[in-house]
Amino acid sequence: MSGVSHQVLGNRMTKFESSIKQIPYPVEDVYRNISDLSNLERVRDRIPQDKLQDFQFDSDSVQVSVSPVGTIKLRICDREENKCVKFETEQSPLAFNLWIQVLPVSDTASKMKVTVQADIPFMLKGMVSGPLQDGVEKIADALSQIPFV
């Protein structure tokens, strides 16, 4: 896991990485919670209603309307137990994949990093790179503050 960064991959794929977040819970607890999206019910009240509307989820997918972007729907496409959960877009103005990596630090703590790989047309890269990097960091911050019990 490395620090905050973004890099261009291939044609138009750009990778955005959060800083590494320390989580005061065992990796098994963190993974169990992020790999089953129905656990989002516990944190629904922490979601800023002025930024996100139409927040819906089940165990494998999450959908939200983000102002001014529009509706984004993600589905879990891969789970690697106690290591990583990968998501792909089902609906979004911009095609991207998102993954959440978790690693143990000790028996009672772990660390987490959020990565987004987005297909950004060259003409939009300058406009969306900053907000996407900020968004990835905010997701990581929010995830790091969840009580993973």
Side-chain angles (χ1 to χ4, degrees), residues 32-44 57-62 76 79:
R32 183 181 64 249
N33 279 277
I34 63 173
S35 64
D36 179 355
L37 297 178
S38 59
N39 289 313
L40 289 171
E41 186 61 47
R42 295 187 1 240
V43 294
R44 182 187 285 271
F57 52 87
D58 59 31
S59 61
D60 293 320
S61 66
V62 60
I76 294 176
R79 291 174 175 95

Side-chain angles (χ1 to χ4, degrees), residues 98-136:
L98 178 144
W99 55 99
I100 304 168
Q101 295 169 276
V102 291
L103 291 172
V105 172
S106 69
D107 289 346
T108 59
S110 51
K111 58 185 177 179
M112 172 189 295
K113 180 172 79 170
V114 176
T115 304
V116 167
Q117 185 171 309
D119 183 7
I120 305 172
F122 179 76
M123 299 295 284
L124 296 178
K125 204 165 285 207
M127 285 190 301
V128 301
S129 289
L132 258 173
Q133 183 65 55
D134 290 345
V136 168

Side-chain angles (χ1 to χ4, degrees), residues 10-106:
N11 274 358
R12 298 183 341 193
M13 297 304 278
T14 305
K15 185 191 251 183
F16 301 87
E17 298 178 318
S18 74
S19 57
I20 296 169
K21 304 298 178 183
Q22 301 299 317
I23 314 278
Y25 296 94
V27 71
E28 297 83 5
D29 291 349
V30 176
Y31 176 81
R32 183 181 64 249
N33 279 277
I34 63 173
S35 64
D36 179 355
L37 297 178
S38 59
N39 289 313
L40 289 171
E41 186 61 47
R42 295 187 1 240
V43 294
R44 182 187 285 271
D45 61 332
R46 295 183 182 199
I47 296 174
Q49 296 303 311
D50 60 324
K51 303 277 188 223
L52 306 174
Q53 295 88 34
D54 191 31
F55 184 54
Q56 302 172 32
F57 52 87
D58 59 31
S59 61
D60 293 320
S61 66
V62 60
Q63 175 178 310
V64 66
S65 293
V66 181
S67 182
V69 176
T71 300
I72 297 173
K73 183 172 185 180
L74 298 171
R75 177 166 299 283
I76 294 176
C77 60
D78 192 21
R79 291 174 175 95
E80 190 175 345
E81 189 168 357
N82 296 334
K83 291 185 180 178
C84 187
V85 179
K86 295 180 182 178
F87 300 81
E88 62 187 0
T89 51
E90 283 196 338
Q91 180 180 350
S92 172
L94 188 65
F96 67 92
N97 292 325
L98 178 144
W99 55 99
I100 304 168
Q101 295 169 276
V102 291
L103 291 172
V105 172
S106 69

